[in-house]
Amino acid sequence: MANRYGGSYRNRNGNGSAGRQDEEYDPYGDGYTSDRYGTPPQQMNPRRPPIEVPRGGGYGSPASRLQRANLNERANETNAERQISQVLELIKSEWPAMVQDDCIPVSLALQLLDNSSVGRAHEYKDFKKAHKYLQDSLKNIVHEHHQGFNSSIGTFHKIQGSIQSSQKRVRALKESLAASRTSLCVTDPELKKLYKSSQMYDEVLQTMNELEDLRTVPDQLEARISEKRFLTAVEVLHNALRKLRKPELDDIGALNDLRGYLANQETALMDILTEELHEHLYLKSPYCQERWQNLAKKQGVYNENYSESNVLTPFHLVLDTMDLNQPVTEDPAKNPEADTFYYISLVVESLNKLGRLEGAVDTLKQRLPVELFSIVNETINEVDQRHPSSLRGGTGNAQGLHIYGDRETQMRADVIYDLLWTLYGKFEAIAEGHRVFHEAIKALIRREGGGNNSSLLGSFRELWNLYQNEIRSLLHNYVTTDADVYQFNSPRQGAMLNGNKDISRDHLFKFSEADPKSVEMTTEYEALDDIIKAAVPGLTTASRKTQASDKKLAGKESRRSAYTGAFDNRNTPGSYKSLVEPSVFNMSLLLPPTLVFLGRLKAIVPPGSDLAASTLTSFLDNFLVNVFQPQLDETLSKLSDSVFGEADSFQQDPAWDLVARRPVFKGATAFFAVITAFCRMLGTIPHDQALSSLIISQMVRYYERCLTWFKSLVSKAQEAGVGPLSLRYSAELAIGDGDIQETIKKLWTSDNLDRELIEKEVGLLIVQANGRDLEPNDVIQDRDVISSLCLLYTSMKWLSVRILSLRHITRFDTDSSQPTLPRNQNRRWTLLNDPNKASGEQHGPVYLPMTQETVQSFDNIVSSYEEFAGTVLLTLHMEIRCRIVQSLSVALSPKTAPYVLGDQEIKEPDPQILSLNSELVAYDETIVRFLRDKETAFIRTGLGLLINTYLVTNALTTQPMNMRGCERMQLNILVLQQNLKNIEEGVDLARAANYFSLFQEGPDAIVNKAKKDNERDIIPEEEKFTYDQLKALVELYYSEQLADPERGIASAGKRKMGEKVLALSEHMWQS
């Protein structure tokens, strides 16, 4: 306050304190405030315009006019008067105790002398300054009014003389009155007749005046109704009815028509007030459009048709500014409809004075469902016109079984958000109107002492029940797939159950088909308007503003179009027109606006109503458990079935490089997309373990589906119904428990491929393979099956890693699937309402919320995926080895490849060896294309050792063999070695070649080698053979002679073989 105490005090040198501006502490300087006893009132600048004072109770309190008058009086004060007023205000604000009637100066003095923390000694200087300021102000008063004081002395004597002369005149007047009284006591009959005649004429004149007033009542009443001054209209009507009920007017027959007219007008006025209340409660009036549009725009919807307007006043501030404790008064200078809330309270006050408030409340309750339903339909039609159907996304009849992309999700979000924000903006504006309606009735009951009238105050509960039904219906329409989407599955109007048109219904009249601008309709409307004006004046009027009339006409036309057909399908479920395809994924779009609306509705619910604000979301719990969860289960199952049932679900995904480093199944990526979409949606709704369990159950189903697919890949071909399913030999070894499976698992989990484990695996495999005859159907012949197994491994490995990334433990343990457990009543219905969560704009991490109990099932299925992938890898590892064993067994068999050959030169290896080479190359190309280097090395390593060991161990199976047959064996070994060099690094079949070279050298060389080996301490691995292997080689050498049909040759060969075996045993006794 730059001029708090006026210029006369601040700028004088005589009595002011202008010289104090340089002091460190100036209690009267700029910006001085003290909050010890409150803030002193601000000084009004006389040159500034008066401050606009907020209007008081009932929107028309005279407090503002009184305050303006006080400000004008203060503007005419002199400097001295203003200064004494300022010092009094200062004392009231800084030293309030001094102006109290029970002030004790000694107590204040003691406080000013008290230097303790509770004393006021530090304010003593301020007290002295205030005292000095008071003394100066009094001096200024004396200086300014000294002439008046001097002149008042002479004036006093004049006044005293005037009083004495007046006393004398009063005595004379008293004597004259006494004489007149004596004269009037004399009786005069003529005067009595004149008096009675005068009274009769007065009554006649009064009756004539009343008749004249009653004659103008219809015009006054119509004028007040047309001006929307309903309080005045009710008062005029009641005054007229009160006059007509006087006994002296009963015999006047000319008033009977007026009595009937006013009786009709009372009913008509009640109807008019009810309609006006409907206009503003249900947003039919053009004056209500701005508020709900601002509410919708504030909440998130944007429409270019919405006009820019002033900042929206929060509803709680509107309630605070309304003084409903005082009766509402009319202000003829303003349009009452401009302020909707004031207008509602005005209509309520008018209905109460009319005595029809309870009937109007009943009418409101009866029409509430119809009004809300029409508002929803009207809003749907508006949004439908704003968004072309081609830009909504998901227009196909997919029964909700579609995972939308970012673009489609954004288009659907635009439509749903536009619909919900617009609708909830209207709902909020209607709720605010009902709250004002509730508060106005409550204030009336309190003023009139009516107690707690539940019939008048229960409308808000009914409104909430209808809101709840409409919201539930919208959620049901856009979440459940049995809703009417455009005209997807629902029969059109007039269609019978069998789908055929009912011809008799084609020509039924509908209001929506009428043209309100046609000549016939216009003529009928004008005739009807004339009849209404003649019967009930004021019900329709042409005195409204043209702009308002046009806006209201447009609003009524749109509302009429919403009414027509609104109840054509009301008795059938899902009667609203759905703007986008229903899907459970719409839940993430529907919940945020709904939760925002419910949160704002909590601030509108009357505090004393029977509706608890904390229970506003309870119906969402019911919807989540009884509607959404079954629909989610059904949709998730159908989506999973569609993924499982696709013909190419187990084919390579063409776009695998966008999601994985190695090729994966198309079904795996589609299934993970389904899981991700559902997890993202679950992140936008309150957590429920039942929903997470549904997703985990589908993971189990996919595991079972992949396991079935794996068994179909590794099963032998057999006729249906022949017997139990028989697996390929590699699958048996990978699945069945045994030493081979344990050895392979250790080999896979070891840091480096252990040589000892590889040798152990080779030995166990050869022993088991020699114990059974491997048939061609024991190995996988189809290369596509190998590719499918590789894809199955990479898919399960990729899926286990990606699903594991969804693991998230939450503290919310609500589980609606277990009714025996106590449910958490405080469900997480807080603002999961970030619009970006479901609009396709977010790309953050996605989680599957689980509790400690649910996460065990999740971990088990992830472990199952990993173990299953390991089983597939072991199958691939064993398959190539089984194929080598099976091919070599065929190549070494004399039945298919005899090794007793003629003298012709050996130029080509066995066809079985060539086939094995081509199969090994194709197998290696397949695993390299699909698997990582680690898995490839695990499958490749040990193939050369297996061939080396098998050829040496099973050499005797080739008998009989001659030199030419041995040459072909050497050629087979050479071909295998050259081919394996392209597959396994560092492969060498020298041991098998050395073994059969001993055959070519003869039995003596075999015995000599055993003798030399016995003398050597270190024997190279490729030259090291056991006694059984060398003995088999000796037997193989003499096998041709033993097979000779002549007994002499066979006997000689047997004898020589015995000698060589004996010599061999002598040199290798230790073995």
Side-chain angles (χ1 to χ4, degrees):
M1 296 186 300
N3 191 15
R4 183 173 181 179
Y5 299 112
S8 62
Y9 175 74
R10 299 283 301 210
N11 298 324
R12 290 186 183 181
N13 293 326
N15 298 320
S17 57
R20 300 181 181 179
Q21 295 179 356
D22 297 332
E23 290 184 1
E24 180 180 357
Y25 175 74
D26 182 10
Y28 311 115
D30 295 344
Y32 170 72
T33 57
S34 175
D35 56 357
R36 182 176 180 92
Y37 295 102
T39 304
Q42 298 182 354
Q43 174 65 30
M44 177 66 68
N45 190 343
R47 288 177 294 179
R48 292 177 58 187
I51 299 175
E52 182 179 355
V53 182
R55 61 187 180 189
Y59 296 84
S61 176
S64 59
R65 295 193 295 271
L66 179 61
Q67 189 168 354
R68 285 196 296 269
N70 293 335
L71 291 177
N72 293 333
E73 292 179 3
R74 294 184 63 181
N76 297 327
E77 292 178 352
T78 63
N79 290 337
E81 293 172 345
R82 189 182 301 111
Q83 188 172 352
I84 195 66
S85 300
Q86 291 176 352
V87 73
L88 290 176
E89 291 177 359
L90 177 65
I91 293 174
K92 290 179 181 178
S93 62
E94 300 293 340
W95 308 95
M98 299 297 296
V99 298
Q100 301 295 330
D101 294 338
D102 55 350
C103 175
I104 303 176
V106 176
S107 175
L108 180 61
L110 292 177
Q111 291 179 6
L112 292 174
L113 294 176
D114 189 356
N115 292 321
S116 63
S117 60
V118 298
R120 301 181 64 179
H122 60 282
E123 298 182 8
Y124 180 65
K125 182 179 180 182
D126 298 343
F127 184 80
K128 291 177 63 179
K129 289 181 179 180
H131 179 263
K132 181 65 168 58
Y133 188 20
L134 178 61
Q135 294 296 328
D136 294 342
S137 301
L138 293 175
K139 289 180 181 179
N140 290 337
I141 288 291
V142 172
H143 292 165
E144 193 168 285
H145 298 283
H146 67 278
Q147 293 181 354
F149 294 156
N150 294 333
S151 61
S152 62
I153 298 174
T155 305
F156 174 76
H157 296 290
K158 295 180 181 180
I159 293 173
Q160 189 176 15
S162 299
I163 291 174
Q164 292 176 355
S165 61
S166 298
Q167 288 177 347
K168 294 179 181 178
R169 289 195 294 270
V170 169
R171 293 190 190 97
L173 182 61
K174 185 177 180 181
E175 293 174 355
S176 299
L177 289 175
S180 300
R181 182 179 180 183
T182 304
S183 300
L184 290 175
C185 290
V186 179
T187 304
D188 189 352
E190 293 295 331
L191 289 177
K192 186 174 181 180
K193 293 179 182 180
L194 291 175
Y195 172 72
K196 290 182 179 181
S197 299
S198 176
Q199 282 187 334
M200 182 185 66
Y201 291 143
D202 288 340
E203 291 176 357
V204 172
L205 289 175
Q206 185 177 358
T207 302
M208 294 296 293
N209 291 333
E210 289 180 353
L211 291 175
E212 181 64 23
D213 293 341
L214 289 173
R215 186 182 64 82
T216 60
V217 165
D219 294 336
Q220 293 180 6
L221 191 60
E222 183 176 353
R224 299 299 176 268
I225 293 175
S226 62
E227 295 171 1
K228 300 298 181 70
R229 296 174 59 186
F230 295 117
L231 282 177
T232 307
V234 172
E235 186 177 355
V236 169
L237 179 62
H238 280 182
N239 289 337
L241 290 174
R242 195 180 304 111
K243 291 178 180 179
L244 287 174
R245 295 190 186 101
K246 291 183 177 179
E248 56 269 21
L249 300 181
D250 291 342
D251 297 333
I252 302 177
L255 296 179
N256 291 334
D257 293 339
L258 182 61
R259 290 190 180 92
Y261 169 79
L262 293 180
N264 293 334
Q265 279 295 89
E266 187 175 14
T267 304
L269 184 58
M270 187 265 186
D271 294 337
I272 292 173
L273 290 173
T274 304
E275 287 300 323
E276 291 295 328
L277 198 56
H278 273 274
E279 292 280 329
H280 284 262
L281 281 180
Y282 301 115
L283 314 180
K284 298 180 183 180
S285 172
Y287 301 100
C288 303
Q289 302 298 316
E290 182 179 357
R291 182 161 188 87
W292 76 257
Q293 288 178 359
N294 287 334
L295 288 171
K297 188 175 181 180
K298 179 180 180 181
Q299 291 174 346
V301 71
Y302 175 77
N303 182 7
E304 62 273 8
N305 297 326
Y306 294 168
S307 60
E308 293 292 335
S309 56
N310 299 327
V311 179
L312 182 66
T313 305
F315 183 66
H316 66 90
L317 295 181
V318 175
L319 286 179
D320 293 341
T321 57
M322 295 178 64
D323 186 8
L324 297 175
N325 293 324
Q326 300 295 329
V328 181
T329 58
E330 292 178 335
D331 187 358
K334 70 175 184 178
N335 181 11
E337 283 191 281
D339 188 346
T340 296
F341 300 143
Y342 162 74
Y343 192 66
I344 291 174
S345 60
L346 177 66
V347 173
V348 170
E349 191 79 25
S350 302
L351 284 169
N352 183 56
K353 285 191 174 182
L354 192 61
R356 302 293 184 90
L357 180 59
E358 189 168 355
V361 171
D362 293 338
T363 304
L364 280 175
K365 290 182 180 180
Q366 293 172 6
R367 293 177 59 176
L368 184 57
V370 180
E371 296 289 348
L372 288 184
F373 185 80
S374 62
I375 286 175
V376 176
N377 266 326
E378 177 188 353
T379 305
I380 291 174
N381 293 332
E382 292 174 359
V383 177
D384 188 21
Q385 295 175 1
R386 289 199 293 264
H387 297 274
S389 59
S390 60
L391 299 179
R392 295 177 187 172
T395 56
N397 188 7
Q399 293 294 326
L401 303 179
H402 183 62
I403 306 298
Y404 298 100
D406 290 351
R407 180 174 176 273
E408 291 175 321
T409 301
Q410 185 60 50
M411 290 189 297
R412 289 165 49 251
D414 291 342
V415 177
I416 292 178
Y417 284 158
D418 189 5
L419 171 64
L420 293 186
W421 290 131
T422 303
L423 181 61
Y424 290 155
K426 294 181 179 180
F427 278 2
E428 185 176 352
I430 293 173
E432 290 176 351
H434 276 77
R435 172 66 186 277
V436 173
F437 181 64
H438 175 91
E439 294 296 334
I441 295 178
K442 187 176 179 180
L444 277 175
I445 295 175
R446 185 168 55 250
R447 290 201 307 264
E448 297 178 358
N452 188 11
N453 193 334
S454 59
S455 61
L456 295 179
L457 298 176
S459 61
F460 213 93
R461 177 75 181 185
E462 181 68 20
L463 176 67
W464 163 240
N465 290 334
L466 293 173
Y467 275 177
Q468 181 175 303
N469 293 334
E470 299 298 341
I471 295 173
R472 187 187 295 111
S473 178
L474 283 173
L475 294 177
H476 188 278
N477 274 17
Y478 288 97
V479 171
T480 56
T481 54
D482 58 351
D484 180 16
V485 186
Y486 308 117
Q487 295 175 351
F488 287 164
N489 298 324
S490 298
R492 296 186 178 183
Q493 294 179 359
M496 301 178 67
L497 294 178
N498 57 4
N500 299 326
K501 280 285 245 185
D502 186 359
I503 301 177
S504 62
R505 295 177 59 88
D506 283 346
H507 303 289
L508 290 179
F509 170 76
K510 295 180 180 178
F511 283 101
S512 58
E513 297 175 355
D515 184 8
K517 297 181 181 180
S518 63
V519 178
E520 295 81 359
M521 292 294 291
T522 305
T523 305
E524 294 297 332
Y525 273 129
E526 291 177 354
L528 179 62
D529 192 48
D530 293 339
I531 295 173
I532 294 175
K533 285 182 178 179
V536 188
L539 184 59
T540 59
T541 177
S543 62
R544 298 183 181 182
K545 296 180 181 179
T546 305
Q547 182 180 2
S549 299
D550 294 340
K551 292 172 67 178
K552 179 166 288 189
L553 179 60
K556 288 187 176 181
E557 289 296 333
S558 62
R559 184 60 56 88
R560 185 183 297 114
S561 64
Y563 269 119
T564 57
F567 289 89
D568 291 346
N569 296 325
R570 185 55 174 169
N571 295 328
T572 61
S575 56
Y576 290 133
K577 176 181 179 181
S578 297
L579 301 180
V580 297
E581 182 181 2
S583 171
V584 291
F585 298 107
N586 291 336
M587 195 69 175
S588 57
L589 303 175
L590 295 167
L591 270 185
T594 303
L595 293 177
V596 170
F597 167 67
L598 294 178
R600 296 175 66 87
L601 191 63
K602 290 180 181 179
I604 304 176
V605 174
S609 66
D610 57 348
L611 179 62
S614 60
T615 61
L616 291 181
T617 57
S618 59
F619 80 99
L620 289 178
D621 294 335
N622 185 23
F623 178 83
L624 192 71
V625 175
N626 297 328
V627 179
F628 176 70
Q629 182 176 327
Q631 183 64 39
L632 178 67
D633 188 9
E634 179 183 355
T635 303
L636 186 57
S637 299
K638 288 183 178 180
L639 279 172
S640 300
D641 291 340
S642 65
V643 172
F644 302 157
E646 289 291 338
D648 58 349
S649 62
F650 289 106
Q651 300 297 323
Q652 179 178 327
D653 190 348
W656 63 267
D657 54 338
L658 300 178
V659 295
R661 297 181 179 178
R662 290 290 173 179
V664 293
F665 283 145
K666 185 177 181 181
T669 57
F671 179 71
F672 185 72
V674 172
I675 297 299
T676 304
F678 275 89
C679 290
R680 180 176 288 112
M681 181 195 57
L682 292 184
T684 62
I685 63 177
H687 176 62
D688 193 334
Q689 286 304 303
L691 304 180
S692 299
S693 299
L694 293 178
I695 296 180
I696 295 176
S697 65
Q698 296 305 316
M699 295 180 185
V700 175
R701 286 188 62 203
Y702 189 72
Y703 167 77
E704 295 172 351
R705 181 72 178 88
C706 291
L707 183 60
T708 304
W709 172 252
F710 169 72
K711 291 181 179 180
S712 67
L713 292 176
V714 298
S715 298
K716 296 180 181 180
Q718 60 184 15
E719 296 181 2
V722 173
L725 198 63
S726 179
L727 302 179
R728 310 280 185 179
Y729 189 53
S730 58
E732 289 183 6
L733 296 176
I735 296 176
D737 295 332
D739 294 337
I740 291 184
Q741 185 196 41
E742 182 180 354
T743 303
I744 301 173
K745 287 183 177 180
K746 289 182 180 179
L747 183 63
W748 168 242
T749 56
S750 62
D751 296 335
N752 296 319
L753 296 176
D754 192 351
R755 179 74 179 182
E756 294 181 359
L757 291 175
I758 295 176
E759 292 177 354
K760 181 180 179 181
E761 175 201 359
V762 169
L764 293 172
L765 177 60
I766 293 175
V767 170
Q768 289 202 14
N770 290 338
R772 60 179 290 177
D773 294 332
L774 288 181
E775 301 294 335
N777 64 346
D778 285 326
V779 295
I780 300 174
Q781 304 292 339
D782 192 355
R783 295 182 180 179
D784 292 337
V785 174
I786 301 301
S787 300
S788 297
L789 287 175
C790 293
L791 279 173
L792 182 59
Y793 170 76
T794 55
S795 300
M796 299 309 296
K797 199 69 177 176
W798 172 81
L799 194 59
S800 64
V801 173
R802 298 302 297 268
I803 288 181
L804 186 61
S805 65
L806 302 176
R807 190 177 189 271
H808 177 69
I809 300 178
T810 180
R811 57 186 178 87
F812 297 98
D813 56 353
T814 304
D815 191 352
S816 58
S817 64
Q818 299 183 11
T820 56
L821 297 178
R823 294 187 181 182
N824 186 7
Q825 297 299 326
N826 297 323
R827 190 182 288 271
R828 189 175 53 118
W829 285 116
T830 53
L831 285 194
L832 308 148
N833 55 355
D834 183 5
N836 293 331
K837 274 194 172 183
S839 62
E841 299 177 0
Q842 83 287 0
H843 297 282
V846 180
Y847 298 111
L848 176 61
M850 296 171 288
T851 59
Q852 292 291 349
E853 293 76 11
T854 313
V855 81
Q856 296 179 1
S857 302
F858 178 84
D859 293 339
N860 291 337
I861 188 60
V862 173
S863 300
S864 299
Y865 282 171
E866 294 176 348
E867 292 175 2
F868 181 50
T871 301
V872 176
L873 182 62
L874 296 185
T875 303
L876 290 170
H877 177 85
M878 293 306 302
E879 176 59 32
I880 190 171
R881 286 156 175 76
C882 292
R883 180 171 298 186
I884 291 174
V885 170
Q886 193 271 337
S887 298
L888 290 179
S889 66
V890 174
L892 296 181
S893 174
K895 298 178 181 179
T896 56
Y899 284 88
V900 178
L901 304 177
D903 294 335
Q904 67 271 20
E905 185 180 358
I906 304 300
K907 295 182 179 181
E908 293 183 359
D910 287 334
Q912 191 66 32
I913 297 300
L914 294 176
S915 176
L916 176 61
N917 277 341
S918 62
E919 290 176 358
L920 290 177
V921 171
Y923 197 98
D924 184 70
E925 291 175 352
T926 302
I927 64 173
V928 168
R929 186 169 73 251
F930 291 105
L931 304 182
R932 299 178 302 172
D933 294 341
K934 181 180 180 182
E935 287 85 355
T936 303
F938 173 67
I939 294 175
R940 285 174 170 178
T941 306
L943 297 182
L945 178 61
L946 174 62
I947 294 176
N948 254 334
T949 306
Y950 190 86
L951 290 176
V952 172
T953 303
N954 294 344
L956 198 56
T957 59
T958 62
Q959 62 180 348
M961 175 186 286
N962 60 8
M963 286 300 174
R964 289 294 182 182
C966 187
E967 290 178 6
R968 190 174 68 177
M969 178 62 71
Q970 289 284 20
L971 181 58
N972 291 340
I973 294 174
L974 179 60
V975 171
L976 286 172
Q977 178 174 310
Q978 293 301 323
N979 186 65
L980 282 177
K981 286 183 178 180
N982 299 323
I983 299 175
E984 182 181 359
E985 184 178 358
V987 68
D988 188 5
L989 301 183
R991 186 166 183 267
N994 292 336
Y995 184 75
F996 284 99
S997 66
L998 290 176
F999 179 90
Q1000 293 175 332
E1001 293 176 4
D1004 293 336
I1006 297 174
V1007 174
N1008 290 333
K1009 176 175 175 32
K1011 181 179 179 181
K1012 291 179 181 179
D1013 290 345
N1014 191 25
E1015 295 174 354
R1016 289 191 298 179
D1017 294 334
I1018 300 176
I1019 304 173
E1021 188 66 30
E1022 65 272 8
E1023 298 180 2
K1024 185 177 181 180
F1025 303 104
T1026 64
Y1027 168 74
D1028 293 333
Q1029 293 169 351
L1030 292 177
K1031 177 184 176 182
L1033 190 59
V1034 172
E1035 293 176 356
L1036 182 63
Y1037 183 84
Y1038 289 101
S1039 61
E1040 184 182 7
Q1041 298 181 19
L1042 293 176
D1044 195 286
E1046 294 187 10
R1047 296 183 61 185
I1049 297 176
S1051 299
K1054 186 176 183 179
R1055 179 174 50 79
K1056 292 180 181 180
M1057 183 184 69
E1059 292 175 356
K1060 298 302 179 184
V1061 171
L1062 180 61
L1064 184 64
S1065 62
E1066 290 178 356
H1067 295 296
M1068 300 187 69
W1069 185 256
Q1070 68 275 13
S1071 58

